[in-house]
Amino acid sequence: MTYYCNICLPPVLQGNTLSFIDLDLDLVHREGVWTVVDEDEFLENQQLYDYPTDVIKRARASLLKLQQRIAQQQFPFDGFLDPFIPTVLQMKRRGNDT
């Protein structure tokens, strides 16, 4: 099972549309190992888009908090959702993922 966690700005709900800004920094779980990816994109885009210092600090803090939740097996990394994964995958295969 692969997990992909995006570090982003808080989502915004406007009417029926939920949107967010992805800050490129991601934490990925593949083959039993968690890895920070796209660090290079995060650094590059800090310059390109002139990320404010507080956004950079919050992104780093969010990544750290996520890593701590995983290490401490806190929701949703506590196995609570594991029984639902086969059902979701089956729905996706049938095209019911709307």
Side-chain angles (χ1 to χ4, degrees):
M1 180 79 48
T2 299
Y3 298 94
Y4 203 100
C5 305
N6 290 300
I7 303 298
C8 59
L9 293 179
V12 175
L13 180 62
Q14 292 180 323
N16 292 330
T17 303
L18 181 65
S19 61
F20 67 94
I21 297 173
D22 184 350
L23 295 175
D24 308 305
L25 199 54
D26 304 306
L27 189 59
V28 178
H29 181 265
R30 287 188 188 110
E31 300 176 10
V33 178
W34 286 97
T35 308
V36 176
V37 298
D38 298 334
E39 178 92 28
D40 55 336
E41 291 180 27
F42 179 64
L43 295 171
E44 183 179 311
N45 286 334
Q46 286 177 38
Q47 301 299 316
L48 183 63
Y49 298 112
D50 196 28
Y51 289 176
T53 302
D54 67 313
V55 168
I56 296 167
K57 287 180 181 178
R58 283 178 36 203
R60 296 257 178 234
S62 294
L63 175 61
L64 180 60
K65 184 175 182 180
L66 178 60
Q67 290 169 313
Q68 290 170 340
R69 290 186 74 81
I70 292 165
Q72 296 169 0
Q73 296 183 328
Q74 294 178 340
F75 183 83
F77 306 103
D78 59 355
F80 176 81
L81 297 173
D82 290 355
F84 301 100
I85 292 173
T87 302
V88 172
L89 292 174
Q90 191 174 49
M91 290 172 61
K92 184 175 176 106
R93 282 192 291 272
R94 283 186 270 169
N96 296 331
D97 58 349
T98 59

